[in-house]
Amino acid sequence: MTIGFIGLGAMGLPMARRLAAAGHPVRAFDADPQRLAACTGGGLLASTNLDELTRNSTTVISCLPSRQAVESVYFSDTGVLQALAPTSLVLECSTIGQVL
């Protein structure tokens, strides 16, 4: 199982690091290039875009700051749902209001 983790903020980065520390391969993505660069090491592999992350992960977890960010990450033309395999597991952990 390879985990793709989207959102490396105050909650997401520690969550991704814990999964890696538990022995899971974790690919990570954040729209902020500085956060993405800071995630390397500690078992995390940076992905340059959502398509790469999604196509190389069996489980996708997101922890994002807003409803708009969640909708963009999942439903845009280059979003997760465009590249997701039918057997993939998706976990959305953002503390936000209802999406669509």
Side-chain angles (χ1 to χ4, degrees):
M1 171 176 70
T2 299
I3 299 169
F5 205 100
I6 305 166
L8 303 171
M11 290 178 59
L13 182 57
M15 291 168 67
R17 285 189 171 149
R18 287 225 193 236
L19 290 166
H24 301 287
V26 179
R27 302 183 73 81
F29 176 80
D30 197 286
D32 181 338
Q34 290 181 327
R35 284 188 180 163
L36 187 59
C39 89
T40 57
L44 301 178
L45 176 64
S47 287
T48 57
N49 59 60
L50 291 173
D51 185 68
E52 175 193 5
L53 178 135
T54 305
R55 290 189 190 282
N56 292 292
S57 303
T58 55
T59 300
V60 175
I61 302 172
S62 59
C63 189
L64 299 164
S66 69
R67 173 184 164 187
Q68 292 79 12
V70 171
E71 289 176 351
S72 177
V73 159
Y74 284 96
F75 302 112
S76 71
D77 290 341
T78 59
V80 168
L81 295 181
Q82 298 300 317
L84 196 64
T87 57
S88 296
L89 174 65
V90 175
L91 302 168
E92 210 309 292
C93 300
S94 305
T95 306
I96 59 169
Q98 181 178 355
V99 176
L100 296 176

